[in-house]
Amino acid sequence: MSSPAEPISISRLADSLSIAWDARDVVTANGSVFRLIRVEGTMEWHHHEEDQLFVCWDGTFTVELEASPVVELKRGDVFVVPRGTEHKTHANGLAHALMSIGVHTMARP
């Protein structure tokens, strides 16, 4: 995936995500993918081998880090989970997040 020649509507992409934790890669740049995720329910404990950046697009969700207080993200908030940090994400309702992470990074249980 490369950068598109025209703007992409994040709102339209969000509307197209129909199930919990569904995701769409939006663009790639500088070795990272910018991914839109439907945050609903709980994503269990996992970690990544590099930093993971979250931008709350809409709704509210939490990120719980191992041995740290829970972080609540609201629309427009940005938060980085440091590489190798065990974390889980949870939303009581429906939320969407934009996430930036390395193209080849996968969750590690």
Side-chain angles (χ1 to χ4, degrees):
M1 170 181 285
S2 61
S3 295
E6 296 183 18
I8 295 172
S9 170
I10 301 298
S11 295
R12 274 192 234 138
L13 276 179
D15 289 343
S16 75
L17 302 177
S18 59
I19 60 172
W21 303 104
D22 201 2
R24 296 282 187 283
D25 290 354
V26 181
V27 295
T28 58
N30 299 318
S32 293
V33 62
F34 202 49
R35 184 172 291 153
L36 180 66
I37 302 167
R38 180 181 173 124
V39 183
E40 190 174 17
T42 301
M43 172 67 71
E44 292 302 328
W45 291 101
H46 64 284
H47 70 275
H48 305 277
E49 298 304 320
E50 53 191 47
D51 297 339
Q52 181 179 23
L53 177 132
F54 286 102
V55 178
C56 181
W57 178 258
D58 62 22
T60 301
F61 63 94
T62 60
V63 180
E64 185 175 349
L65 303 175
E66 188 175 53
S68 295
V70 174
V71 176
E72 182 179 57
L73 298 175
K74 297 176 235 154
R75 183 183 181 107
D77 288 345
V78 175
F79 183 72
V80 175
V81 175
R83 72 186 68 209
T85 303
E86 289 290 324
H87 63 284
K88 70 177 180 178
T89 312
H90 177 79
N92 286 326
L94 174 60
H96 291 91
L98 292 162
M99 180 179 76
S100 178
I101 198 160
V103 173
H104 302 293
T105 299
M106 300 298 291
R108 309 272 186 226

